[in-house]
Amino acid sequence: MLSIRRTNVGGMSVASRHVMGTGIVIGALALTLIALLIPVRSFGGAAATAAPAAGSALGSSPAPAPAPAPASASGDDDGAGLMNTAFGPLTPQDREFVRKVRLAGLWELPAGRQAQERGTRASVRTAGEHLVEGHAELDRRVLEVGQALGVELPDRPSGQQQAWLDQLDRAQGATYERLFVQLLRRAHGKVFTLVAQVRAQTRNSVVRELATDANATVLDHIAVLEASGLVDFEGLADGPPTAVPPTAAPPAAAPPTDIRPRK
């Protein structure tokens, strides 16, 4: 009886140990699962809370768009930038001006000679004479300036200038004279703005002297062309220059005022 009772007690003791061990394992697994779930839920809740806050901030105060890039430099820049010379800084605008003075002579000199030969009005022939004298002197000066500053100069008229010369070649009589005056007056008005700007802004002494001479020459040519009485001032706006239609009685030409620069 004693041996049986010990065996039973020993068996119950083993069973109890198995049950307790199983309970401990299950409890440990449960604790591990809880430990894993708590951080995930905390992180998710924090993220969910932060998201509306960020959305609210963005909705109430949107971030400004980036400012547009500043405009680029002048389109007249020949790519050489600012150059230092013995006569002072030479800017892209200075070089453009020197080239335009040369270009003006390449078409206005032949146009002036043609007007001296083909003009029937004395005022048109006088305008042609002023063009020839003024641009002959300016051309001599600009060649010297170009060589002194190392600026490459054109040796033929631009495509547009050649087209103007072709127009004059085809025109006849009164149509020719009006076309001559209108084309030349419009061209001088355009370049006059550049001459004045360069004269006021350049820091190069040689360019400044050339601009001073060009200013006087251009102003003289404008005055003598207007003195012909053939200028259509409404037609001087931007657009293709056109000849003024002839009128039955054109106004008498006022005597031109000679304001050519002194030599």
Side-chain angles (χ1 to χ4, degrees), residues 79-98:
L82 183 67
M83 300 171 60
N84 292 319
T85 73
F87 310 97
L90 186 69
T91 67
Q93 180 177 256
D94 293 337
R95 293 191 292 275
E96 179 204 10
F97 164 69
V98 173

Side-chain angles (χ1 to χ4, degrees), residues 115-194:
Q116 286 180 291
E117 297 172 0
R118 296 180 58 187
T120 59
R121 290 177 173 86
S123 59
V124 172
R125 292 194 299 270
T126 299
E129 177 187 352
H130 279 240
L131 286 173
V132 171
E133 290 183 2
H135 281 289
E137 176 62 18
L138 267 185
D139 205 52
R140 182 188 66 79
R141 289 279 294 114
V142 77
L143 289 174
E144 294 175 351
V145 170
Q147 183 175 10
L149 298 178
V151 177
E152 187 175 353
L153 300 176
D155 58 3
R156 66 188 65 187
S158 69
Q160 184 181 54
Q161 291 169 336
Q162 186 58 55
W164 291 339
L165 290 172
D166 294 342
Q167 279 184 269
L168 291 172
D169 287 342
R170 293 190 297 267
Q172 299 294 327
T175 301
Y176 163 77
E177 292 185 319
R178 291 178 179 276
L179 181 62
F180 164 78
V181 170
Q182 194 70 7
L183 284 173
L184 271 298
R185 172 59 182 83
R186 188 173 187 274
H188 280 79
K190 290 288 187 182
V191 76
F192 190 61
T193 302
L194 176 63

